[in-house]
Amino acid sequence: MTDQRHPDIEIYVKNRSLDEIEAWLRQRFDGLSNDFSQGTVHEYKASLDDTAVPVMIHEKVVGKAWTSVWFKSDRTRWEKDLDCAIQAAADMETQIRCIAGGWADGDEPDEWWKVENDTQEKIQWRTD
C-alpha cells in the first residue's frame, strides 16, 4: 500500500447503534443530513469546510455485530482508512476494523487492521 491519500474511507464499527454513529459523525463534521434510509442502509451528506462528503452506513454486516461506514470521497479529515479507524475507536470506545491494504491486484484481501484501546493490530478477517 502506498502512502498516498485513499480515494475513499471505509471502517467497520463493532456494536454501536445508528444513533451513536450519527452522533460521532456530527462531532467530526460541520453538518450531517440524511438523504435516504431503507432498512439497514442509510445515505448521508456530511459537510466539511463547505464540501459535501457522501457517507453510506450499512448496519448489521459481517456477522451482525458490525456496521460499515463508507465515506465515498477523499475529502475527509483522514488520509487513510487506518487514520479514521483510530479516531473512531477512541471517540466511540469500541473496536473498529479497516482494510490493511488497498484494493489493488496483489493486496491481501483478508488482512485487516483491528483498532481498539489505543492499539492497532493486523489480523486475518474473512468477511465472506
Side-chain angles (χ1 to χ4, degrees), residues 6-49:
H6 290 181
D8 63 354
I9 301 285
E10 185 175 20
I11 61 170
Y12 290 80
V13 181
K14 187 173 186 183
N15 293 328
R16 289 296 177 259
S17 69
L18 180 62
D19 288 342
E20 290 170 307
I21 294 169
E22 286 177 345
W24 175 70
L25 290 170
R26 284 188 183 91
Q27 176 186 354
R28 291 288 152 207
F29 288 87
D30 301 331
L32 183 70
S33 62
N34 180 271
D35 291 346
F36 172 84
S37 284
Q38 183 173 356
T40 59
V41 177
H42 315 278
E43 293 182 10
Y44 298 85
K45 283 281 189 298
S47 58
L48 183 64
D49 301 327

mmCIF file of all heavy atoms in Angstrom, residues 6-49:
data_model
loop_
_atom_site.group_PDB
_atom_site.id
_atom_site.type_symbol
_atom_site.label_atom_id
_atom_site.label_comp_id
_atom_site.label_asym_id
_atom_site.label_seq_id
_atom_site.Cartn_x
_atom_site.Cartn_y
_atom_site.Cartn_z
ATOM 1 N N HIS A 6 -6.087 7.922 0.520
ATOM 2 C CA HIS A 6 -7.021 6.949 -0.041
ATOM 3 C C HIS A 6 -8.148 7.676 -0.785
ATOM 4 O O HIS A 6 -8.590 8.744 -0.353
ATOM 5 C CB HIS A 6 -7.608 6.080 1.058
ATOM 6 C CG HIS A 6 -6.617 5.128 1.652
ATOM 7 N ND1 HIS A 6 -6.959 4.251 2.640
ATOM 8 C CD2 HIS A 6 -5.299 4.903 1.394
ATOM 9 C CE1 HIS A 6 -5.896 3.523 2.981
ATOM 10 N NE2 HIS A 6 -4.881 3.913 2.234
ATOM 11 N N PRO A 7 -8.649 7.095 -1.882
ATOM 12 C CA PRO A 7 -9.720 7.744 -2.648
ATOM 13 C C PRO A 7 -11.066 7.752 -1.917
ATOM 14 O O PRO A 7 -11.954 8.534 -2.234
ATOM 15 C CB PRO A 7 -9.792 6.917 -3.928
ATOM 16 C CG PRO A 7 -9.223 5.588 -3.557
ATOM 17 C CD PRO A 7 -8.191 5.862 -2.500
ATOM 18 N N ASP A 8 -11.214 6.869 -0.944
ATOM 19 C CA ASP A 8 -12.389 6.826 -0.083
ATOM 20 C C ASP A 8 -11.944 6.178 1.224
ATOM 21 O O ASP A 8 -10.829 5.690 1.335
ATOM 22 C CB ASP A 8 -13.555 6.073 -0.734
ATOM 23 C CG ASP A 8 -13.250 4.606 -1.014
ATOM 24 O OD1 ASP A 8 -12.083 4.170 -0.811
ATOM 25 O OD2 ASP A 8 -14.148 3.877 -1.437
ATOM 26 N N ILE A 9 -12.825 6.213 2.210
ATOM 27 C CA ILE A 9 -12.507 5.667 3.534
ATOM 28 C C ILE A 9 -13.655 4.752 3.936
ATOM 29 O O ILE A 9 -14.822 5.129 3.829
ATOM 30 C CB ILE A 9 -12.386 6.798 4.591
ATOM 31 C CG1 ILE A 9 -11.298 7.811 4.240
ATOM 32 C CG2 ILE A 9 -12.214 6.220 5.993
ATOM 33 C CD1 ILE A 9 -9.886 7.358 4.450
ATOM 34 N N GLU A 10 -13.317 3.537 4.418
ATOM 35 C CA GLU A 10 -14.354 2.656 4.949
ATOM 36 C C GLU A 10 -13.855 2.014 6.228
ATOM 37 O O GLU A 10 -12.737 1.505 6.285
ATOM 38 C CB GLU A 10 -14.752 1.569 3.958
ATOM 39 C CG GLU A 10 -15.907 0.731 4.467
ATOM 40 C CD GLU A 10 -16.416 -0.292 3.471
ATOM 41 O OE1 GLU A 10 -15.682 -0.643 2.523
ATOM 42 O OE2 GLU A 10 -17.558 -0.746 3.655
ATOM 43 N N ILE A 11 -14.698 2.070 7.241
ATOM 44 C CA ILE A 11 -14.408 1.422 8.520
ATOM 45 C C ILE A 11 -15.592 0.543 8.901
ATOM 46 O O ILE A 11 -16.713 0.740 8.418
ATOM 47 C CB ILE A 11 -14.120 2.438 9.646
ATOM 48 C CG1 ILE A 11 -15.329 3.354 9.887
ATOM 49 C CG2 ILE A 11 -12.852 3.227 9.350
ATOM 50 C CD1 ILE A 11 -15.212 4.231 11.136
ATOM 51 N N TYR A 12 -15.331 -0.420 9.771
ATOM 52 C CA TYR A 12 -16.367 -1.279 10.321
ATOM 53 C C TYR A 12 -16.395 -1.067 11.827
ATOM 54 O O TYR A 12 -15.372 -1.228 12.498
ATOM 55 C CB TYR A 12 -16.091 -2.745 9.979
ATOM 56 C CG TYR A 12 -16.298 -3.026 8.509
ATOM 57 C CD1 TYR A 12 -15.330 -2.697 7.570
ATOM 58 C CD2 TYR A 12 -17.481 -3.585 8.062
ATOM 59 C CE1 TYR A 12 -15.523 -2.928 6.216
ATOM 60 C CE2 TYR A 12 -17.693 -3.835 6.704
ATOM 61 C CZ TYR A 12 -16.707 -3.502 5.797
ATOM 62 O OH TYR A 12 -16.910 -3.731 4.457
ATOM 63 N N VAL A 13 -17.560 -0.691 12.338
ATOM 64 C CA VAL A 13 -17.740 -0.312 13.731
ATOM 65 C C VAL A 13 -18.460 -1.453 14.452
ATOM 66 O O VAL A 13 -19.510 -1.914 14.005
ATOM 67 C CB VAL A 13 -18.590 0.980 13.827
ATOM 68 C CG1 VAL A 13 -18.772 1.392 15.278
ATOM 69 C CG2 VAL A 13 -17.968 2.097 13.002
ATOM 70 N N LYS A 14 -17.905 -1.890 15.578
ATOM 71 C CA LYS A 14 -18.485 -3.012 16.321
ATOM 72 C C LYS A 14 -19.443 -2.530 17.408
ATOM 73 O O LYS A 14 -19.102 -1.663 18.221
ATOM 74 C CB LYS A 14 -17.385 -3.857 16.955
ATOM 75 C CG LYS A 14 -17.920 -5.129 17.601
ATOM 76 C CD LYS A 14 -16.803 -6.029 18.064
ATOM 77 C CE LYS A 14 -17.390 -7.344 18.564
ATOM 78 N NZ LYS A 14 -16.329 -8.222 19.089
ATOM 79 N N ASN A 15 -20.636 -3.094 17.392
ATOM 80 C CA ASN A 15 -21.626 -2.929 18.466
ATOM 81 C C ASN A 15 -21.946 -1.492 18.843
ATOM 82 O O ASN A 15 -22.010 -1.142 20.018
ATOM 83 C CB ASN A 15 -21.193 -3.702 19.723
ATOM 84 C CG ASN A 15 -21.216 -5.195 19.503
ATOM 85 O OD1 ASN A 15 -22.029 -5.722 18.749
ATOM 86 N ND2 ASN A 15 -20.311 -5.891 20.162
ATOM 87 N N ARG A 16 -22.167 -0.656 17.834
ATOM 88 C CA ARG A 16 -22.647 0.704 18.081
ATOM 89 C C ARG A 16 -23.906 0.916 17.252
ATOM 90 O O ARG A 16 -24.006 0.470 16.118
ATOM 91 C CB ARG A 16 -21.596 1.760 17.731
ATOM 92 C CG ARG A 16 -20.412 1.803 18.680
ATOM 93 C CD ARG A 16 -20.867 2.200 20.086
ATOM 94 N NE ARG A 16 -19.803 2.184 21.068
ATOM 95 C CZ ARG A 16 -19.608 1.201 21.948
ATOM 96 N NH1 ARG A 16 -20.392 0.142 21.939
ATOM 97 N NH2 ARG A 16 -18.653 1.282 22.836
ATOM 98 N N SER A 17 -24.865 1.608 17.834
ATOM 99 C CA SER A 17 -26.144 1.848 17.174
ATOM 100 C C SER A 17 -25.996 2.914 16.091
ATOM 101 O O SER A 17 -25.024 3.680 16.075
ATOM 102 C CB SER A 17 -27.190 2.306 18.194
ATOM 103 O OG SER A 17 -26.864 3.611 18.655
ATOM 104 N N LEU A 18 -26.994 2.986 15.234
ATOM 105 C CA LEU A 18 -27.008 4.027 14.220
ATOM 106 C C LEU A 18 -26.977 5.408 14.873
ATOM 107 O O LEU A 18 -26.260 6.298 14.420
ATOM 108 C CB LEU A 18 -28.245 3.875 13.324
ATOM 109 C CG LEU A 18 -28.390 4.903 12.204
ATOM 110 C CD1 LEU A 18 -27.223 4.809 11.222
ATOM 111 C CD2 LEU A 18 -29.721 4.715 11.492
ATOM 112 N N ASP A 19 -27.731 5.588 15.953
ATOM 113 C CA ASP A 19 -27.742 6.879 16.662
ATOM 114 C C ASP A 19 -26.349 7.249 17.178
ATOM 115 O O ASP A 19 -25.939 8.403 17.099
ATOM 116 C CB ASP A 19 -28.727 6.849 17.833
ATOM 117 C CG ASP A 19 -30.182 6.864 17.379
ATOM 118 O OD1 ASP A 19 -30.453 7.230 16.217
ATOM 119 O OD2 ASP A 19 -31.047 6.506 18.198
ATOM 120 N N GLU A 20 -25.610 6.275 17.703
ATOM 121 C CA GLU A 20 -24.269 6.538 18.210
ATOM 122 C C GLU A 20 -23.309 6.909 17.070
ATOM 123 O O GLU A 20 -22.470 7.806 17.226
ATOM 124 C CB GLU A 20 -23.734 5.328 18.968
ATOM 125 C CG GLU A 20 -24.443 5.088 20.289
ATOM 126 C CD GLU A 20 -24.084 3.766 20.930
ATOM 127 O OE1 GLU A 20 -24.194 2.716 20.268
ATOM 128 O OE2 GLU A 20 -23.686 3.798 22.121
ATOM 129 N N ILE A 21 -23.450 6.231 15.948
ATOM 130 C CA ILE A 21 -22.592 6.538 14.802
ATOM 131 C C ILE A 21 -22.938 7.905 14.228
ATOM 132 O O ILE A 21 -22.049 8.695 13.898
ATOM 133 C CB ILE A 21 -22.688 5.420 13.738
ATOM 134 C CG1 ILE A 21 -22.096 4.127 14.318
ATOM 135 C CG2 ILE A 21 -21.979 5.827 12.449
ATOM 136 C CD1 ILE A 21 -22.348 2.887 13.487
ATOM 137 N N GLU A 22 -24.229 8.224 14.141
ATOM 138 C CA GLU A 22 -24.632 9.558 13.681
ATOM 139 C C GLU A 22 -24.074 10.645 14.603
ATOM 140 O O GLU A 22 -23.611 11.685 14.134
ATOM 141 C CB GLU A 22 -26.152 9.674 13.618
ATOM 142 C CG GLU A 22 -26.788 8.947 12.464
ATOM 143 C CD GLU A 22 -28.307 9.050 12.493
ATOM 144 O OE1 GLU A 22 -28.895 9.431 13.542
ATOM 145 O OE2 GLU A 22 -28.921 8.729 11.462
ATOM 146 N N ALA A 23 -24.131 10.419 15.904
ATOM 147 C CA ALA A 23 -23.598 11.398 16.863
ATOM 148 C C ALA A 23 -22.098 11.594 16.643
ATOM 149 O O ALA A 23 -21.602 12.728 16.693
ATOM 150 C CB ALA A 23 -23.872 10.944 18.298
ATOM 151 N N TRP A 24 -21.375 10.513 16.364
ATOM 152 C CA TRP A 24 -19.948 10.619 16.085
ATOM 153 C C TRP A 24 -19.707 11.437 14.810
ATOM 154 O O TRP A 24 -18.831 12.297 14.782
ATOM 155 C CB TRP A 24 -19.327 9.225 15.968
ATOM 156 C CG TRP A 24 -17.887 9.270 15.575
ATOM 157 C CD1 TRP A 24 -16.842 9.716 16.342
ATOM 158 C CD2 TRP A 24 -17.329 8.894 14.313
ATOM 159 N NE1 TRP A 24 -15.661 9.616 15.623
ATOM 160 C CE2 TRP A 24 -15.943 9.109 14.386
ATOM 161 C CE3 TRP A 24 -17.864 8.378 13.142
ATOM 162 C CZ2 TRP A 24 -15.078 8.832 13.324
ATOM 163 C CZ3 TRP A 24 -17.013 8.094 12.088
ATOM 164 C CH2 TRP A 24 -15.635 8.333 12.183
ATOM 165 N N LEU A 25 -20.507 11.177 13.780
ATOM 166 C CA LEU A 25 -20.359 11.924 12.528
ATOM 167 C C LEU A 25 -20.617 13.418 12.748
ATOM 168 O O LEU A 25 -19.907 14.260 12.213
ATOM 169 C CB LEU A 25 -21.300 11.378 11.459
ATOM 170 C CG LEU A 25 -20.950 9.992 10.918
ATOM 171 C CD1 LEU A 25 -22.086 9.451 10.045
ATOM 172 C CD2 LEU A 25 -19.641 10.018 10.148
ATOM 173 N N ARG A 26 -21.632 13.736 13.543
ATOM 174 C CA ARG A 26 -21.926 15.147 13.833
ATOM 175 C C ARG A 26 -20.778 15.814 14.591
ATOM 176 O O ARG A 26 -20.510 16.998 14.424
ATOM 177 C CB ARG A 26 -23.227 15.258 14.622
ATOM 178 C CG ARG A 26 -24.445 15.057 13.755
ATOM 179 C CD ARG A 26 -25.755 15.356 14.484
ATOM 180 N NE ARG A 26 -26.871 15.087 13.619
ATOM 181 C CZ ARG A 26 -27.504 13.918 13.533
ATOM 182 N NH1 ARG A 26 -27.118 12.904 14.308
ATOM 183 N NH2 ARG A 26 -28.506 13.740 12.700
ATOM 184 N N GLN A 27 -20.075 15.025 15.405
ATOM 185 C CA GLN A 27 -18.924 15.535 16.160
ATOM 186 C C GLN A 27 -17.748 15.814 15.223
ATOM 187 O O GLN A 27 -17.000 16.760 15.437
ATOM 188 C CB GLN A 27 -18.536 14.489 17.208
ATOM 189 C CG GLN A 27 -17.307 14.803 18.019
ATOM 190 C CD GLN A 27 -16.923 13.640 18.931
ATOM 191 O OE1 GLN A 27 -17.617 12.641 19.048
ATOM 192 N NE2 GLN A 27 -15.785 13.776 19.571
ATOM 193 N N ARG A 28 -17.589 15.035 14.189
ATOM 194 C CA ARG A 28 -16.421 15.111 13.308
ATOM 195 C C ARG A 28 -16.622 15.969 12.061
ATOM 196 O O ARG A 28 -15.654 16.329 11.396
ATOM 197 C CB ARG A 28 -15.994 13.706 12.882
ATOM 198 C CG ARG A 28 -15.424 12.909 14.022
ATOM 199 C CD ARG A 28 -14.058 13.445 14.374
ATOM 200 N NE ARG A 28 -13.767 13.208 15.788
ATOM 201 C CZ ARG A 28 -12.958 13.941 16.496
ATOM 202 N NH1 ARG A 28 -12.356 14.975 15.970
ATOM 203 N NH2 ARG A 28 -12.737 13.669 17.757
ATOM 204 N N PHE A 29 -17.874 16.284 11.714
ATOM 205 C CA PHE A 29 -18.161 17.070 10.516
ATOM 206 C C PHE A 29 -18.923 18.328 10.895
ATOM 207 O O PHE A 29 -19.509 18.422 11.973
ATOM 208 C CB PHE A 29 -18.965 16.235 9.509
ATOM 209 C CG PHE A 29 -18.137 15.165 8.846
ATOM 210 C CD1 PHE A 29 -17.988 13.920 9.428
ATOM 211 C CD2 PHE A 29 -17.491 15.412 7.638
ATOM 212 C CE1 PHE A 29 -17.206 12.940 8.830
ATOM 213 C CE2 PHE A 29 -16.712 14.435 7.030
ATOM 214 C CZ PHE A 29 -16.575 13.197 7.625
ATOM 215 N N ASP A 30 -18.960 19.289 9.969
ATOM 216 C CA ASP A 30 -19.657 20.549 10.215
ATOM 217 C C ASP A 30 -21.173 20.383 10.198
ATOM 218 O O ASP A 30 -21.894 21.120 10.856
ATOM 219 C CB ASP A 30 -19.258 21.595 9.165
ATOM 220 C CG ASP A 30 -17.758 21.861 9.166
ATOM 221 O OD1 ASP A 30 -17.118 21.714 10.234
ATOM 222 O OD2 ASP A 30 -17.222 22.210 8.100
ATOM 223 N N GLY A 31 -21.656 19.416 9.431
ATOM 224 C CA GLY A 31 -23.090 19.159 9.338
ATOM 225 C C GLY A 31 -23.333 17.763 8.821
ATOM 226 O O GLY A 31 -22.443 17.132 8.248
ATOM 227 N N LEU A 32 -24.563 17.259 9.030
ATOM 228 C CA LEU A 32 -24.920 15.914 8.587
ATOM 229 C C LEU A 32 -26.399 15.897 8.263
ATOM 230 O O LEU A 32 -27.224 16.310 9.074
ATOM 231 C CB LEU A 32 -24.623 14.885 9.686
ATOM 232 C CG LEU A 32 -24.892 13.432 9.331
ATOM 233 C CD1 LEU A 32 -23.864 12.923 8.305
ATOM 234 C CD2 LEU A 32 -24.853 12.558 10.588
ATOM 235 N N SER A 33 -26.732 15.435 7.047
ATOM 236 C CA SER A 33 -28.137 15.297 6.680
ATOM 237 C C SER A 33 -28.367 13.914 6.092
ATOM 238 O O SER A 33 -27.523 13.382 5.366
ATOM 239 C CB SER A 33 -28.556 16.369 5.672
ATOM 240 O OG SER A 33 -27.817 16.228 4.468
ATOM 241 N N ASN A 34 -29.513 13.342 6.445
ATOM 242 C CA ASN A 34 -29.877 12.017 5.927
ATOM 243 C C ASN A 34 -30.600 12.200 4.606
ATOM 244 O O ASN A 34 -31.627 12.865 4.541
ATOM 245 C CB ASN A 34 -30.758 11.285 6.940
ATOM 246 C CG ASN A 34 -31.154 9.914 6.450
ATOM 247 O OD1 ASN A 34 -32.163 9.761 5.776
ATOM 248 N ND2 ASN A 34 -30.374 8.922 6.789
ATOM 249 N N ASP A 35 -30.054 11.602 3.540
ATOM 250 C CA ASP A 35 -30.654 11.694 2.215
ATOM 251 C C ASP A 35 -31.580 10.523 1.911
ATOM 252 O O ASP A 35 -32.516 10.651 1.125
ATOM 253 C CB ASP A 35 -29.567 11.742 1.129
ATOM 254 C CG ASP A 35 -28.776 13.035 1.155
ATOM 255 O OD1 ASP A 35 -29.225 13.998 1.810
ATOM 256 O OD2 ASP A 35 -27.710 13.079 0.529
ATOM 257 N N PHE A 36 -31.311 9.364 2.524
ATOM 258 C CA PHE A 36 -32.065 8.163 2.182
ATOM 259 C C PHE A 36 -31.863 7.123 3.273
ATOM 260 O O PHE A 36 -30.748 6.944 3.757
ATOM 261 C CB PHE A 36 -31.568 7.606 0.844
ATOM 262 C CG PHE A 36 -32.137 6.265 0.477
ATOM 263 C CD1 PHE A 36 -33.367 6.163 -0.141
ATOM 264 C CD2 PHE A 36 -31.429 5.101 0.744
ATOM 265 C CE1 PHE A 36 -33.894 4.928 -0.482
ATOM 266 C CE2 PHE A 36 -31.947 3.851 0.411
ATOM 267 C CZ PHE A 36 -33.175 3.774 -0.208
ATOM 268 N N SER A 37 -32.933 6.435 3.651
ATOM 269 C CA SER A 37 -32.840 5.298 4.564
ATOM 270 C C SER A 37 -33.852 4.254 4.142
ATOM 271 O O SER A 37 -35.017 4.580 3.877
ATOM 272 C CB SER A 37 -33.140 5.702 6.011
ATOM 273 O OG SER A 37 -32.055 6.393 6.572
ATOM 274 N N GLN A 38 -33.388 3.032 4.054
ATOM 275 C CA GLN A 38 -34.291 1.910 3.795
ATOM 276 C C GLN A 38 -33.706 0.686 4.470
ATOM 277 O O GLN A 38 -32.599 0.255 4.139
ATOM 278 C CB GLN A 38 -34.465 1.652 2.300
ATOM 279 C CG GLN A 38 -35.453 0.548 2.014
ATOM 280 C CD GLN A 38 -35.744 0.403 0.528
ATOM 281 O OE1 GLN A 38 -35.265 1.160 -0.293
ATOM 282 N NE2 GLN A 38 -36.540 -0.578 0.202
ATOM 283 N N GLY A 39 -34.418 0.161 5.456
ATOM 284 C CA GLY A 39 -33.928 -0.992 6.190
ATOM 285 C C GLY A 39 -32.646 -0.670 6.925
ATOM 286 O O GLY A 39 -32.593 0.224 7.755
ATOM 287 N N THR A 40 -31.590 -1.392 6.571
ATOM 288 C CA THR A 40 -30.303 -1.220 7.255
ATOM 289 C C THR A 40 -29.314 -0.361 6.466
ATOM 290 O O THR A 40 -28.156 -0.245 6.848
ATOM 291 C CB THR A 40 -29.662 -2.594 7.524
ATOM 292 O OG1 THR A 40 -29.470 -3.264 6.276
ATOM 293 C CG2 THR A 40 -30.530 -3.437 8.451
ATOM 294 N N VAL A 41 -29.774 0.255 5.375
ATOM 295 C CA VAL A 41 -28.901 1.080 4.540
ATOM 296 C C VAL A 41 -29.317 2.545 4.651
ATOM 297 O O VAL A 41 -30.491 2.876 4.498
ATOM 298 C CB VAL A 41 -28.952 0.619 3.063
ATOM 299 C CG1 VAL A 41 -28.110 1.528 2.182
ATOM 300 C CG2 VAL A 41 -28.490 -0.826 2.939
ATOM 301 N N HIS A 42 -28.342 3.402 4.914
ATOM 302 C CA HIS A 42 -28.604 4.827 5.127
ATOM 303 C C HIS A 42 -27.563 5.639 4.371
ATOM 304 O O HIS A 42 -26.367 5.358 4.447
ATOM 305 C CB HIS A 42 -28.531 5.160 6.618
ATOM 306 C CG HIS A 42 -29.255 4.172 7.472
ATOM 307 N ND1 HIS A 42 -30.609 4.222 7.665
ATOM 308 C CD2 HIS A 42 -28.812 3.082 8.144
ATOM 309 C CE1 HIS A 42 -30.976 3.210 8.449
ATOM 310 N NE2 HIS A 42 -29.903 2.503 8.746
ATOM 311 N N GLU A 43 -28.029 6.664 3.648
ATOM 312 C CA GLU A 43 -27.124 7.541 2.915
ATOM 313 C C GLU A 43 -27.236 8.954 3.482
ATOM 314 O O GLU A 43 -28.329 9.452 3.716
ATOM 315 C CB GLU A 43 -27.463 7.531 1.430
ATOM 316 C CG GLU A 43 -27.198 6.192 0.779
ATOM 317 C CD GLU A 43 -27.489 6.181 -0.707
ATOM 318 O OE1 GLU A 43 -27.714 7.260 -1.296
ATOM 319 O OE2 GLU A 43 -27.504 5.081 -1.281
ATOM 320 N N TYR A 44 -26.077 9.574 3.661
ATOM 321 C CA TYR A 44 -25.985 10.902 4.258
ATOM 322 C C TYR A 44 -25.118 11.804 3.394
ATOM 323 O O TYR A 44 -24.327 11.339 2.582
ATOM 324 C CB TYR A 44 -25.321 10.826 5.643
ATOM 325 C CG TYR A 44 -26.071 10.014 6.642
ATOM 326 C CD1 TYR A 44 -25.902 8.634 6.709
ATOM 327 C CD2 TYR A 44 -26.939 10.612 7.542
ATOM 328 C CE1 TYR A 44 -26.585 7.874 7.640
ATOM 329 C CE2 TYR A 44 -27.629 9.862 8.483
ATOM 330 C CZ TYR A 44 -27.448 8.488 8.523
ATOM 331 O OH TYR A 44 -28.132 7.748 9.443
ATOM 332 N N LYS A 45 -25.236 13.079 3.661
ATOM 333 C CA LYS A 45 -24.284 14.067 3.180
ATOM 334 C C LYS A 45 -23.700 14.716 4.422
ATOM 335 O O LYS A 45 -24.421 15.309 5.230
ATOM 336 C CB LYS A 45 -24.968 15.141 2.323
ATOM 337 C CG LYS A 45 -25.307 14.701 0.923
ATOM 338 C CD LYS A 45 -24.096 14.745 0.018
ATOM 339 C CE LYS A 45 -24.439 14.519 -1.438
ATOM 340 N NZ LYS A 45 -25.018 13.244 -1.763
ATOM 341 N N ALA A 46 -22.403 14.572 4.571
ATOM 342 C CA ALA A 46 -21.696 15.260 5.648
ATOM 343 C C ALA A 46 -21.024 16.466 5.023
ATOM 344 O O ALA A 46 -20.577 16.415 3.877
ATOM 345 C CB ALA A 46 -20.659 14.337 6.274
ATOM 346 N N SER A 47 -20.960 17.565 5.745
ATOM 347 C CA SER A 47 -20.284 18.744 5.211
ATOM 348 C C SER A 47 -19.027 19.016 6.031
ATOM 349 O O SER A 47 -19.018 18.866 7.248
ATOM 350 C CB SER A 47 -21.208 19.952 5.201
ATOM 351 O OG SER A 47 -21.681 20.223 6.495
ATOM 352 N N LEU A 48 -17.991 19.408 5.292
ATOM 353 C CA LEU A 48 -16.710 19.685 5.906
ATOM 354 C C LEU A 48 -16.052 20.797 5.103
ATOM 355 O O LEU A 48 -15.754 20.618 3.919
ATOM 356 C CB LEU A 48 -15.829 18.433 5.894
ATOM 357 C CG LEU A 48 -14.478 18.534 6.565
ATOM 358 C CD1 LEU A 48 -14.626 18.797 8.059
ATOM 359 C CD2 LEU A 48 -13.686 17.255 6.339
ATOM 360 N N ASP A 49 -15.884 21.942 5.723
ATOM 361 C CA ASP A 49 -15.265 23.084 5.038
ATOM 362 C C ASP A 49 -15.956 23.381 3.702
ATOM 363 O O ASP A 49 -15.309 23.490 2.661
ATOM 364 C CB ASP A 49 -13.772 22.838 4.810
ATOM 365 C CG ASP A 49 -13.019 22.613 6.116
ATOM 366 O OD1 ASP A 49 -13.412 23.215 7.132
ATOM 367 O OD2 ASP A 49 -12.054 21.836 6.113
#
